[in-house]
Amino acid sequence: MAINIKVLGYHIDVFQHVNNARYLEFYEADRWEWMGKANLIEWAIQNKIVMAAVNINVNYFQAVGLGDELTVISRMDKIGVKSAVCYQQIIRNSHGQSEVVSDAYVTFVFIDGKTNKAMVIADELREKIEALNNKKDSFIEM
């Protein structure tokens, strides 16, 4: 899944570039879109499952400014016993060139809404998460 974002005035801080906290919003917007398209969000709500980010590691390679056109893409990197890791990139598209301006690894768990405990990623939940990678987006090798 990928979303496109044009950097607007309200994305910019006093230093005239996108503040590092905004990158987290861009990444989250793509994750919601990505998981929504795969019906994971709807399925989780129906099954009283809550998804929670527990760790985010972000790298910032280039400043992003007003008017920049960005593409945010996501893929599943690892699926463990109780947690999964999503890899994401923000790519600036300018004059026919594409460059990674940031990337991130987001670790999340699934919590059973009835017991309030982290769930083992198995059976239908594992299938839903694995299905997220059915489409290949254009990641740039780092």
Side-chain angles (χ1 to χ4, degrees), residues 1-122:
M1 187 67 220
I3 63 167
N4 296 307
I5 296 170
K6 183 169 184 162
V7 177
L8 303 173
Y10 65 88
H11 295 132
I12 303 299
D13 64 16
V14 297
F15 300 109
Q16 298 302 304
H17 59 74
V18 173
N19 182 278
N20 61 347
R22 286 282 182 184
Y23 287 78
L24 298 176
E25 292 175 359
F26 295 164
Y27 284 128
E28 186 169 8
D30 188 60
R31 287 194 309 274
W32 276 95
E33 186 72 18
W34 177 51
M35 293 183 187
K37 291 277 187 199
N39 295 318
L40 179 58
I41 295 168
E42 182 179 311
W43 178 85
I45 290 169
Q46 289 173 351
N47 288 280
K48 296 188 179 4
I49 296 171
V50 177
M51 186 173 55
V54 294
N55 188 22
I56 302 175
N57 293 302
V58 182
N59 297 301
Y60 304 97
F61 305 117
Q62 299 285 325
V64 174
L66 186 64
D68 281 345
E69 303 214 357
L70 309 174
T71 300
V72 186
I73 53 179
S74 303
R75 73 170 183 235
M76 198 52 59
D77 189 57
K78 291 185 241 179
I79 303 172
V81 175
K82 285 195 173 184
S83 66
V85 179
C86 167
Y87 175 69
Q88 297 181 277
Q89 288 181 342
I90 297 177
I91 299 167
R92 177 179 18 233
N93 309 299
S94 178
H95 307 325
Q97 299 274 357
S98 295
E99 68 176 330
V100 177
V101 296
S102 175
D103 71 355
Y105 287 91
V106 181
T107 304
F108 52 93
V109 297
F110 293 87
I111 299 170
D112 182 322
K114 298 170 196 146
T115 65
N116 218 20
K117 300 208 185 264
M119 299 174 58
V120 171
I121 299 174

